[in-house]
Amino acid sequence: MNKVESSRPEWLKAFDCYRERVALRDASEQVASYADLLSFSQRLTEELEPKRLVVCLVENSVESLLGYLALLSIGQPILVLPSKVSQEYLNQIEQSYRPGYYFIHGEALAGHGLDNLKCVIECGQFAIMGTTNSSYPVHDALALLLPTSGSTGNPKFVRLSHSNVIENALSIVEYLGIADSDVAITTLPSSYSYGLSIIHSHVLRGSRIAVTNLSILDREFWRFARKANVSSFGIVPFQYDLLKRLLLQNLELPTLRYVTQAGGALLPKSVLELNSTLRTMGAHLIPMYGQTEASPRISFLAPENVERKPNSIGKAIPGGEMWLEDEEGALVAEAGIQGELVYKGPNVALGYANSYADLAQGDHWNGVLRTGDIARFDEDGDFYIVGRKSRFTKLFGHRVNLDDVERHVCASITDVVCQGHGDTLAVFVEQQNQGFANEVRDSIASYLSVTKHAVHVYSVEQFLRGDRGKILYSELFSSNPSRQL
């Protein structure tokens, strides 16, 4: 029996081992035990055709996570989407991936205009609906398809194996010391790889997930967190400003042990402030780094190093290895020299998919991920990200393909050039087109499902280009007079 095949029962073993414990609980006291997860998994095995892709439109609710975890545990390949995805995007997924099933909330079903679906099995207000799509080959190893480009509507997905997901979860359990008495709360969408990672690692250890769709700005969120005896939660950079506004130290969380932070870099000043606040509460901060292509967590900064190295991503998680390569692919062996960050580990994905035809593919990457991030390391072997090689940026914790955004606006309004700028998106328009500023801002905010305040539009005299006509992105702020519109 190979590694992939032997890894699948890990979920069912956990469900069986912790069957007497509560797995999921929300603020209204709706509960799903590990025994419920095991029972629903067994029911799905009887009702579903194996190896048929399931599109899961997930949300932070007990019923949604119950269905998702049960599907994962029986080896059914899953394509994960947020519950509020647009009908246009869902139609694109239908055409590109021809799923065998949808796992969807009843109210959302009517809103998305999906036709010719038949209810196979209900899960509270959710249901698994069968399609009339014909079957096609799916690789035995395939567990999850997670989006690569946040909410930009690109049909490209990361192909994760059962072993990828299990190995990353077990590594996180080991490093964080997760116990069956721990309680994690859903501060992040369950359609987001980091949010899923938190769920995976805690469920494998028999911990409890306090489930809520509330924002951390909502006082009811924190009342629920106290009542649930929450021991940890995860945040992405933009949520730090929300925590500051709430005065985290006054929220009375006596059972809190630690907070993890990933999804982009916090400013060193913010890392120090958050760490100091958590220390006064008897907890600590664990900055982490990852990519969806690594299931998704890659490294951590040890808590004892946070004050000395607030801009570091630390070292690889247990079972992983990181190194740098220069432009010729040679190993960077000297501290302080920059190179592309490369990661090797059992959590590295199989590759990408753009359509159902790719789901029969095997492992293209052989456990090695070229991250596209430029980094350096210090004398202690801790790593530091210094820039990005590719045209992606992180916006509110989600990776956004800047080329996708530019194409979207150029197709309907005017030519624009986009650049990530902290936790905002800088959009440049040439002066003759500056009258489109409000329309551009509204269009992008709607496209990415973010607040308009995260989109800054600038007027420039002209787009600076190199001798081959390519936009000089690095010069947009520094060498081109501009003004914000």
Side-chain angles (χ1 to χ4, degrees):
M1 182 176 290
N2 64 38
K3 187 176 183 181
V4 171
E5 291 172 341
S6 65
S7 71
R8 278 186 212 154
E10 291 292 339
W11 300 106
L12 297 177
K13 288 177 184 176
F15 298 168
D16 188 38
C17 179
Y18 303 108
R19 59 169 55 238
E20 303 302 323
R21 299 184 59 82
V22 170
L24 309 164
R25 172 176 279 144
D26 66 16
S28 67
E29 295 300 319
Q30 184 173 7
V31 168
S33 67
Y34 282 93
D36 293 329
L37 287 171
L38 183 62
S39 175
F40 196 59
S41 298
Q42 293 168 341
R43 188 177 171 195
L44 291 179
T45 301
E46 298 169 357
E47 298 288 345
L48 301 186
E49 293 182 47
K51 292 295 142 195
R52 297 296 306 279
L53 182 67
V54 184
V55 172
C56 280
L57 281 77
V58 295
E59 63 180 37
N60 288 336
S61 71
V62 169
E63 291 167 349
S64 179
L65 294 181
L66 170 64
Y68 164 78
L69 289 167
L71 286 164
L72 183 64
S73 74
I74 66 169
Q76 204 77 22
I78 302 170
L79 186 153
V80 177
L81 293 177
S83 61
K84 294 183 180 179
V85 69
S86 70
Q87 182 173 335
E88 178 185 4
Y89 186 30
L90 197 59
N91 289 341
Q92 188 176 13
I93 295 300
E94 169 68 25
Q95 294 170 9
S96 298
Y97 288 94
R98 291 171 30 188
Y101 302 98
Y102 286 87
F103 179 60
I104 189 169
H105 193 285
E107 292 181 358
L109 183 63
H112 284 306
L114 295 169
D115 300 321
N116 301 318
L117 297 183
K118 179 181 179 181
C119 182
V120 177
I121 187 169
E122 293 183 344
C123 182
Q125 297 182 68
F126 281 74
I128 296 178
M129 311 294 293
T131 73
T132 57
N133 293 328
S134 57
S135 61
Y136 49 80
V138 175
H139 198 284
D140 251 4
L142 184 64
L144 291 178
L145 295 174
L146 297 183
T148 65
S149 56
S151 53
T152 58
N154 192 318
K156 185 178 181 181
F157 283 74
V158 175
R159 295 184 292 116
L160 296 175
S161 73
H162 300 283
S163 187
N164 292 154
V165 177
I166 292 287
E167 293 290 345
N168 196 236
L170 291 176
S171 180
I172 298 305
V173 168
E174 177 184 343
Y175 171 66
L176 296 181
I178 297 173
D180 60 9
S181 57
D182 280 327
V183 181
I185 191 167
T186 55
T187 49
L188 302 162
S190 49
S191 56
Y192 173 37
S193 59
Y194 179 23
L196 276 184
S197 175
I198 293 171
I199 292 168
H200 293 158
S201 55
H202 283 79
V203 168
L204 273 183
R205 192 62 182 86
S207 309
R208 187 166 79 249
I209 309 294
V211 183
T212 177
N213 263 324
L214 293 173
S215 163
I216 62 173
L217 274 179
D218 196 317
R219 291 286 173 179
E220 288 301 320
F221 175 94
W222 298 105
R223 290 191 184 95
F224 176 46
R226 283 192 293 275
K227 183 178 179 181
N229 295 318
V230 163
S231 55
S232 69
F233 59 87
I235 64 167
V236 293
F238 90 94
Q239 291 176 310
Y240 172 64
D241 290 333
L242 304 183
L243 289 176
K244 280 185 67 175
R245 195 185 314 174
L246 284 169
L247 298 176
L248 176 62
Q249 64 271 25
N250 296 334
L251 291 177
E252 298 181 9
L253 299 170
T255 55
L256 185 66
R257 292 203 297 122
Y258 61 85
V259 172
T260 60
Q261 179 268 314
L266 270 178
L267 293 174
K269 177 183 177 182
S270 299
V271 170
L272 292 173
E273 289 174 346
L274 179 55
N275 186 60
S276 177
T277 298
L278 290 171
R279 289 293 188 185
T280 66
M281 300 169 65
H284 56 267
L285 174 66
I286 305 177
M288 305 192 81
Y289 163 79
Q291 294 188 1
T292 302
E293 290 84 346
S295 309
R297 292 194 253 189
I298 290 174
S299 73
F300 64 91
L301 180 63
E304 61 269 22
N305 290 333
V306 172
E307 289 188 10
R308 294 192 301 117
K309 306 179 182 185
N311 57 335
S312 174
I313 63 167
K315 296 180 172 66
I317 59 174
E321 179 185 359
M322 297 193 300
W323 67 87
L324 303 181
E325 293 182 4
D326 64 20
E327 292 181 357
E328 285 72 44
L331 182 68
V332 175
E334 184 179 346
I337 303 299
Q338 295 181 11
E340 182 179 4
L341 181 64
V342 183
Y343 173 79
K344 180 179 181 180
N347 51 312
V348 172
L350 304 173
Y352 293 119
N354 290 285
S355 73
Y356 74 90
D358 297 320
L359 304 192
Q361 299 294 316
D363 189 352
H364 289 179
W365 294 347
N366 298 311
V368 178
L369 175 65
R370 307 189 67 84
T371 67
D373 283 324
I374 305 302
R376 62 179 175 84
F377 60 85
D378 63 21
E379 297 292 345
D380 300 323
D382 287 313
F383 285 77
Y384 302 75
I385 301 295
V386 298
R388 293 194 64 78
K389 187 177 178 181
S390 60
R391 286 276 294 146
F392 288 85
T393 190
K394 288 286 182 73
L395 191 65
F396 296 104
H398 290 275
R399 193 165 63 163
V400 173
N401 187 328
L402 297 176
D403 293 330
D404 281 348
V405 178
E406 290 178 1
R407 283 192 291 266
H408 166 75
V409 179
C410 292
S412 57
I413 305 175
T414 187
D415 288 346
V416 298
V417 172
C418 298
Q419 187 176 42
H421 191 54
D423 230 346
T424 63
L425 184 65
V427 184
F428 297 86
V429 298
E430 292 180 316
Q431 283 191 350
Q432 62 266 33
N433 294 333
Q434 63 181 299
F436 290 110
N438 288 334
E439 189 177 357
V440 166
R441 186 182 297 109
D442 292 346
S443 177
I444 292 176
S446 175
Y447 183 55
L448 298 177
S449 299
V450 299
T451 173
K452 289 188 289 186
H453 299 298
V455 183
H456 296 176
V457 181
Y458 297 87
S459 169
V460 299
E461 292 182 359
Q462 63 181 4
F463 299 143
L464 296 182
R465 300 177 184 271
D467 57 4
R468 296 185 182 180
K470 292 186 178 180
I471 297 290
L472 299 176
Y473 290 98
S474 62
E475 304 296 322
L476 285 170
F477 279 110
S478 60
S479 302
N480 198 340
S482 62
R483 63 186 182 89
Q484 189 170 347
L485 301 175

